[in-house]
Amino acid sequence: ARALLDKALPEEDPALLAALIAGLTDENPGPWQYPANFLPARLRETVAAFKKSIKKLVSALKKHEFAVPDYSFQGSLAVYEWATTGDFDRATEIFGKGVGDLVRLVLMTVEHLSQFGSLVEECPTLGQTARIARNLLIKEPIT
């Protein structure tokens, strides 16, 4: 909600929205193993804006001893690769885990995007972008 209020979600770029959500969805992010400039600039800027938006919330949660998972840059980049190029093999390589793990991440991301897609009346642009993002991810070999 904080990122929505701060306009820190990429409301007009379905691939960036999918990638941002995927980075939050990966339940077991591994350490980032690429140089920082490996992330495309637009993705890097989007993640930075989002993290800045929720920084106070994350600090408050940690202060009260809530577990706050790390952001998965590899999950984010793998889903961005899949959404923008359709190269599943390359996306799997970037993710650094098994094919089944990437399929699971994509399907979980699609589920979260469906939740955003249901906000079409409250947030028309974000809702429509989420629906488009979901459709970018559901293609062979993921159906």
Side-chain angles (χ1 to χ4, degrees):
R2 175 80 267 154
L4 188 58
L5 292 171
D6 289 347
K7 301 279 186 197
L9 296 173
E11 291 188 31
E12 297 184 6
D13 189 323
L16 280 176
L17 182 61
L20 181 67
I21 300 303
L24 298 166
T25 301
D26 186 5
E27 295 174 339
N28 190 18
W32 179 244
Q33 53 188 334
Y34 299 101
N37 65 354
F38 192 80
L39 284 175
R42 293 184 67 217
L43 180 56
R44 192 170 52 245
E45 292 162 6
T46 298
V47 171
F50 176 79
K51 290 179 91 173
K52 181 180 178 185
S53 171
I54 64 167
K55 186 175 183 174
K56 288 181 183 176
L57 172 64
V58 169
S59 293
L61 289 170
K62 286 181 177 180
K63 180 180 176 183
H64 295 300
E65 299 182 9
F66 284 92
V68 179
D70 292 331
Y71 187 82
S72 174
F73 288 99
Q74 274 155 263
S76 182
L77 183 57
V79 168
Y80 187 74
E81 180 75 20
W82 175 237
T84 57
T85 70
D87 187 339
F88 191 74
D89 292 334
R90 178 74 178 127
T92 303
E93 179 184 332
I94 289 168
F95 193 43
K97 300 177 186 177
V99 169
D101 294 318
L102 180 57
V103 169
R104 182 172 183 265
L105 174 62
V106 169
L107 291 175
M108 289 173 59
T109 301
V110 165
E111 179 60 33
H112 292 304
L113 289 167
S114 294
Q115 299 296 321
F116 282 101
S118 69
L119 298 174
V120 124
E121 288 186 26
E122 296 81 2
C123 306
T125 304
L126 179 62
Q128 185 61 30
T129 300
R131 289 177 177 185
I132 294 167
R134 185 183 62 208
N135 292 336
L136 285 175
L137 300 180
I138 297 296
K139 56 190 171 193
E140 289 294 334
I142 300 173
T143 55

